Amino acid sequence: MGDKHSQPHAIMVPMPLQGHLLPHTHLATKLASHGLTITFVNTQHIHHQITKSQPNDTEDQDDIFATARKSGLDIRYKTVSDGFPLAFNRFQNHNQAVEGLLHVFPAHVDELVGNLVQSDPSVTCLIADTFHPWSATIANKYNLVNISFWTEPALVLSIYYHLDLLRERGHYGSHDNREDTIDYIPGVKAIEPKDLVSHLQATNTSTAAHRILYKAFQQVTNANFILCNTVQELESQSLLALQEKQPTYAIGPVFPNKATKSVVVATNLISEFDCIEWLNAKPPGSVLYISFGSYAQVTKNVVEEIAHGLLLSRVSFIWVLRPDTISHGELETSILPVGFEDEIKDRGLIVPWCSQIEVLSNPAIGGFLTHCGWNSILESMWCGVPMLCFPILTDQTTNRKLVVDDWGIGLNLCDRIKPITRMEVAEKINRLMSGRLGDGLQKEIKKMRQKLEDGLAINGSSQKNLCQFISDVKAKIQT
Ligand code: UDP
C-alpha cells in the first residue's frame, strides 16, 4: 500500500437490504464530505429496485450519487451481480437468496474489487457490511485496509462476537439451550435468552443465515477497524469491551446531516407516498405511526388484531403496509379486515412506503408502533417519539430490550409468549398516546435525543471518533 493518494479511497459494499443500504449511503456521504473518495457498490437488483421506485422525471437514474458529485463529493457508483436474474424473487425464495450471498455473490465482488484496484491504484480500503462473510478474504487478497461497518446496536455486535462463548456455556446451539440469565459476555451486564437475537434462539442452527453469521463473525475479528452506527455514551459498556479487542469507533447516528442535507441520494426500494399534507392537518401528538420496516413479515392474524385494535383505540394513524408484509403462503389474501378502510375514513392512512424520518419529525406524530429495527429506533429517538415495540426477528428482539428495559423510552405491545389480541393493542396504543404515561416516556426520550445530538455536535463523541477513524486509516495506509 505504498504509493497511494493522501486521501483514502474506499470501496463500500452494503448488504443488499433496505435497512443496510440507508446507513451505508449516509456513511458514504459523510466520509466523502471529510474528503474521502468512495466507490459505492450496489447489487444490480437493488439498483433496479431503486430505479423502479423513483418518480419518472428523476434525473440520473443510472447513478444515484450524481447529485452528490455535483455538490463536490467524490462518490463513484458501481453495480455488481448477486448471481440471480433481476426478476428472481429474493423475498419469496429467501433461503436460496441467502445461499447466493454466501456462495455466489463473493465471487462477483471479488472480480469487481480486483478490476477496480487494477484500474485505479488510488483504491486503498474496503468498507464492507459486517454481515458479509467474505470481507477479510477479499480485503487481504487485494491488500486493502479492512473496515467493517456495523449497522445494528453495539450490544448485538457484542453478542454475535461471542457466539463461541454462548455455545460453550450451553445458551446456543444445543437441543435444550440453558434458560438462565447470560451474564458472562464481555460488555453485556446481563441478558435473558429470550432477548437474544432471533437467530440465536432458533432450534435449527444450520440454516444458510446461520452459516453466514458464523463466517461473518469470524471475518470481523480480522477487520482493521470497526465502525458502529451508535453513540459511545448510549452503549459505552458494550463499546468499551469491543474496543479492548479491536479498534472500534461509535460514529452514529449516521443520518443525512446538515453538511450534506442538500445532497439527495435515491435509496427507496418501494415508491414513497407523501403523507405530509395529511399529517399537517392533524393536532400535535395525535397520530400513531406504524411500520414493520422493509424486511419483516407478520401473519394475517397479527395484521387483523392490529387493525381491530386501531379501530377500538379511536387513535389517528399512518400505517406502512408493504405489499409483502404478510408472511409466506398468505400473499394472495386481502391484508385488512373487510370494511376497515371505510370505517377509518380520514382517521387513518395506509401507505406502502413513506419518508419515515420526515413523518417522525412531524409534530403531529405522538407515538411509533415499531418492529424495533435499529434505524427506526435511532430515528424515533432523534425525533423524540416514544415507541410501542413489536419485535419480529433478527436483532429486533434484542433492540426491544434496549428500548423498553434499559432506556425506558417504549412499551411492549404484547407479551411475546401469548398471541396478540385486539383489546391489548387498543389498550397499549391508548397508553402510549395518552399524556399521562406519555410524559414519563417523553422525559426519557428527550434525554436520549440529547445524547444523539451531543454525539453529533462539533466536539461530540461521534464527530471526534469519525475524525480519529479517518486519521487512523490514513496512518494505516502509510504503513
Ligand atoms: N423506512 C422508510 N419508509 C418507510 C418504512 C421504513 O423510509 O415507510 C426506512 C426507515 O426510516 C429506516 C429503514 O427504512 O431507516 C428501515 O430500517 P430498520 O433498521 O428500522 O428496519 P429493517 O427494514 O432493516 O427491518
Side-chain angles (χ1 to χ4, degrees):
M1 275 177 270
D3 180 30
K4 298 278 165 92
H5 264 202
S6 61
Q7 285 289 6
H9 177 170
I11 299 172
M12 242 179 123
V13 192
M15 275 300 261
L17 294 167
Q18 182 81 73
H20 293 249
L21 171 64
L22 283 159
H24 273 83
T25 309
H26 301 324
L27 178 63
T29 49
K30 200 165 211 169
L31 291 174
S33 66
H34 279 77
L36 273 71
T37 297
I38 303 290
T39 296
F40 195 96
V41 182
N42 266 335
T43 63
Q44 285 157 4
H45 178 249
I46 287 284
H47 178 72
H48 178 66
Q49 294 290 111
I50 293 174
T51 313
K52 257 194 352 191
S53 314
Q54 287 287 94
N56 287 338
D57 56 354
T58 311
E59 285 176 54
D60 304 314
Q61 292 262 350
D62 287 338
D63 183 347
I64 61 168
F65 286 101
T67 354
R69 268 198 312 283
K70 278 182 204 151
S71 311
L73 303 182
D74 191 359
I75 311 183
R76 302 145 193 204
Y77 185 53
K78 293 277 176 205
T79 58
V80 65
S81 168
D82 63 3
F84 296 100
L86 283 184
F88 177 73
N89 190 327
R90 289 144 179 86
F91 210 76
Q92 280 177 36
N93 300 290
H94 181 256
N95 285 344
Q96 208 180 337
V98 177
E99 290 287 359
L101 286 177
L102 194 55
H103 298 297
V104 188
F105 186 50
H108 289 283
V109 177
D110 187 335
E111 185 186 38
L112 177 80
V113 172
N115 288 341
L116 286 169
V117 168
Q118 203 175 25
S119 63
D120 185 349
S122 77
V123 175
T124 41
C125 312
L126 178 69
I127 304 181
D129 199 303
T130 308
F131 281 110
H132 282 311
W134 42 257
S135 43
T137 312
I138 293 183
N140 287 346
K141 179 168 175 184
Y142 297 106
N143 199 21
L144 299 172
V145 177
N146 174 3
I147 301 156
S148 190
F149 182 33
W150 179 247
T151 61
E152 294 178 0
L155 168 64
V156 175
L157 180 55
S158 303
I159 294 169
Y160 278 131
Y161 202 93
H162 294 285
L163 214 56
D164 289 345
L165 205 51
L166 283 164
R167 201 195 293 269
E168 253 170 57
R169 304 279 186 111
H171 278 107
Y172 170 66
S174 71
H175 285 298
D176 53 347
N177 286 337
R178 279 170 60 182
E179 287 174 10
D180 56 332
T181 306
I182 299 159
D183 58 3
Y184 48 80
I185 298 178
V188 181
K189 200 167 147 206
I191 186 163
E192 298 304 322
K194 72 168 179 50
D195 294 326
L196 288 176
V197 288
S198 67
H199 291 302
L200 304 189
Q201 297 186 46
T203 39
N204 177 5
T205 57
S206 61
T207 66
H210 285 88
R211 280 177 281 127
I212 287 217
L213 292 177
Y214 304 143
K215 272 195 114 171
F217 289 94
Q218 270 166 10
Q219 297 262 316
V220 75
T221 56
N222 295 312
N224 298 115
F225 305 103
I226 302 176
L227 292 175
C228 292
N229 189 15
T230 188
V231 181
Q232 186 77 27
E233 290 76 12
L234 208 59
E235 296 196 84
S236 58
Q237 235 192 338
S238 298
L239 285 161
L240 285 170
L242 289 164
Q243 282 152 353
E244 277 186 24
K245 302 264 180 199
Q246 277 174 268
T248 304
Y249 307 77
I251 53 146
V254 283
F255 295 145
N257 61 13
K258 283 184 198 126
T260 55
K261 213 173 174 180
S262 57
V263 177
V264 185
V265 184
T267 48
N268 282 334
L269 305 185
I270 301 177
S271 301
E272 191 176 287
F273 185 92
D274 189 350
C275 312
I276 301 306
E277 208 182 307
W278 185 90
L279 267 176
N280 284 345
K282 302 286 177 202
S286 67
V287 179
L288 176 73
Y289 171 66
I290 309 167
S291 166
F292 303 134
S294 60
Y295 185 69
Q297 292 187 309
V298 290
T299 62
K300 189 161 185 283
N301 179 55
V302 167
V303 173
E304 268 172 1
E305 292 310 304
I306 291 178
H308 285 291
L310 283 168
L311 289 177
L312 291 168
S313 75
R314 315 293 315 154
V315 158
S316 295
F317 62 90
I318 292 180
W319 189 353
V320 177
L321 261 184
R322 303 183 333 267
D324 50 13
T325 295
I326 301 269
S327 53
H328 299 258
E330 294 176 286
L331 286 166
E332 300 308 320
T333 50
S334 145
I335 293 188
L336 291 163
V338 178
F340 179 75
E341 289 182 67
D342 290 340
E343 252 189 87
I344 57 168
K345 298 198 180 71
D346 187 46
R347 186 156 72 78
L349 201 57
I350 296 166
V351 299
W353 199 255
C354 64
S355 166
Q356 178 166 299
I357 190 93
E358 251 187 86
V359 167
L360 286 173
S361 38
N362 191 289
I365 295 293
F368 182 8
L369 196 172
T370 173
H371 72 310
C372 297
W374 182 237
N375 295 299
S376 293
I377 292 172
L378 287 174
E379 290 160 13
S380 210
M381 290 201 283
W382 183 251
C383 300
V385 177
M387 285 161 266
L388 194 49
C389 297
F390 186 67
I392 300 166
L393 75 174
T394 62
D395 60 323
Q396 297 151 22
T397 37
T398 311
N399 303 350
R400 181 218 64 83
K401 169 183 152 50
L402 288 173
V403 171
V404 179
D405 306 346
D406 297 359
W407 298 334
I409 53 173
L411 302 173
N412 295 322
L413 177 64
C414 57
D415 180 341
R416 270 179 70 77
I417 312 288
K418 292 192 228 134
I420 182 171
T421 66
R422 59 195 68 182
M423 294 306 291
E424 200 177 8
V425 172
E427 188 225 335
K428 290 289 174 61
I429 288 177
N430 283 329
R431 272 179 71 187
L432 180 81
M433 300 300 283
S434 81
R436 191 169 46 83
L437 188 105
D439 276 347
L441 297 177
Q442 285 288 355
K443 209 170 107 202
E444 292 309 313
I445 204 146
K446 274 191 189 131
K447 287 191 209 157
M448 286 296 158
R449 190 201 142 93
Q450 195 57 52
K451 281 193 180 172
L452 301 198
E453 267 189 33
D454 291 349
L456 290 183
I458 292 179
N459 275 319
S461 60
S462 293
Q463 243 354 68
K464 281 195 199 154
N465 290 341
L466 185 73
C467 294
Q468 186 62 50
F469 159 73
I470 293 172
S471 120
D472 293 348
V473 169
K474 286 181 183 168
K476 179 83 189 156
I477 292 168
Q478 293 311 316
T479 61

